[in-house]
Amino acid sequence: MLTNHLDFRLEPQLKELYEEHKRRAEKIDWGYHDFLPWDKAQDFKRVPWNPEQVTLPSGVVTAVETALLTEVNLPWFTSHLDQTFKGSLTVIKDFVHTWTAEEDQHSNLLETYLLITRNADPKRIRQLHKMTVEGGFEPDFDTPFETMVYTSLQELATMVFYYNVAKVAGSHDKELATLLRRLAKDETLHYAFYRDVIKLHLQLEPNYCYYLGHVIKNFKMPGTVMPDFEDRMSIIAKEANYGPLEYFDQVLDVIVDYWDIENLRPIAPEAEKARLDLLNYHARLKRVRDRFYAKK
């Protein structure tokens, strides 16, 4: 039987995942104030901002801004998770609360960094911040299992984004690279929980394959509501080490392999069809990737 609700039989194992997450998170507990170059701060009234104060390449600034404008959508994303998991397993609702508390300081860290280092116009950042939050976040799915699939991809993509941008930023500002890697560690723990929830469900009931394809084939980050999102991602792909190729190699390929989709054997015909469609989608993107590398 096809169902997109989380399976109560897995609750003991999901509780173990949650307890393990809390143990790991406690070891790396942090405050964003520890990662900021406070000695660079100046009063904007006394020393007004101007573009000559920017010290980072424009592509890196765009990447940090884009990350910030993704993180500020936390209220909408949390609201979506809260509504989705009403009536679901208690352990999942508890994890969402923990996840929200851990994510809460991400946007503060990024925005304060940009202001302290004067790598962004403070008035413009505030306008973009407001416009993005006003845009909200409304995914085209609202079921527990599909939402877990989405959060797995979203957390992995965010983790990869931070690590990749940190590699570029390091030669310009080591403190920026350090704070980006700090954010990536949080995303790593969050990704591990979400992806393992899905893994356990697929192992228990391979028919869950039926609900993977829609989310994976239509995946978009919650930051797509920000102004000029497509232009931003084009710049980041060229100048800040994260684009479609990195998404395939470090996100999609990783998750398809981890969930062992190739070797799952759902009984329901529609679930098996969905599994094969997803594998064909993955194979098509792999061919595109291979052709690009061959030309390069």
Side-chain angles (χ1 to χ4, degrees), residues 83-278:
Q83 292 300 315
T84 298
F85 295 123
K86 276 190 182 301
S88 189
L89 303 179
T90 299
V91 63
I92 298 299
K93 291 184 284 187
D94 290 344
F95 179 79
V96 169
H97 290 177
T98 298
W99 172 86
T100 302
E102 292 170 352
E103 291 276 344
D104 184 53
Q105 59 181 351
H106 289 189
S107 63
N108 290 334
L109 175 57
L110 293 169
E111 187 162 9
T112 308
Y113 168 82
L114 289 173
L115 294 176
I116 286 176
T117 62
R118 296 186 171 242
N119 276 296
D121 179 350
K123 292 182 179 179
R124 176 174 169 274
I125 283 293
R126 177 57 195 156
Q127 291 169 349
L128 290 171
H129 185 144
K130 184 178 180 182
M131 290 170 64
T132 301
V133 175
E134 284 180 339
F137 173 69
E138 297 182 12
D140 60 351
F141 53 86
D142 58 4
T143 62
F145 186 79
E146 287 177 310
T147 297
M148 278 285 171
V149 175
Y150 179 85
T151 51
S152 300
L153 284 167
Q154 182 256 325
E155 296 290 342
L156 177 55
T158 307
M159 178 196 82
V160 170
F161 180 93
Y162 283 138
Y163 276 130
N164 286 15
V165 175
K167 291 178 183 178
V168 177
S171 59
H172 305 283
D173 185 339
K174 292 182 179 179
E175 291 173 319
L176 172 58
T178 297
L179 73 83
L180 291 172
R181 287 193 291 267
R182 173 56 268 179
L183 294 176
K185 288 182 180 179
D186 274 3
E187 310 299 2
T188 301
L189 294 187
H190 299 157
Y191 159 63
F193 179 85
Y194 288 125
R195 78 164 184 204
D196 287 343
V197 170
I198 295 298
K199 178 85 168 179
L200 289 171
H201 279 78
L202 291 172
Q203 290 174 335
L204 178 68
E205 178 51 81
N207 283 336
Y208 274 110
C209 280
Y210 180 75
Y211 298 101
L212 292 175
H214 171 67
V215 179
I216 293 177
K217 291 190 289 185
N218 296 284
F219 176 75
K220 293 179 180 179
M221 290 294 286
T224 53
V225 298
M226 72 182 67
D228 304 321
F229 178 78
E230 295 299 333
D231 291 340
R232 287 175 172 276
M233 295 311 298
S234 177
I235 292 170
I236 293 168
K238 295 174 183 175
E239 303 177 30
N241 200 28
Y242 185 82
L245 294 174
E246 288 77 18
Y247 172 77
F248 179 86
D249 286 337
Q250 298 172 265
V251 180
L252 179 60
D253 202 34
V254 170
I255 206 70
V256 167
D257 180 66
Y258 188 83
W259 288 337
D260 198 22
I261 295 172
E262 184 172 356
N263 294 311
L264 292 173
R265 292 296 178 266
I267 296 175
E270 56 267 52
E272 173 63 4
K273 180 180 182 302
R275 184 185 74 89
L276 294 176
D277 286 345
L278 180 54

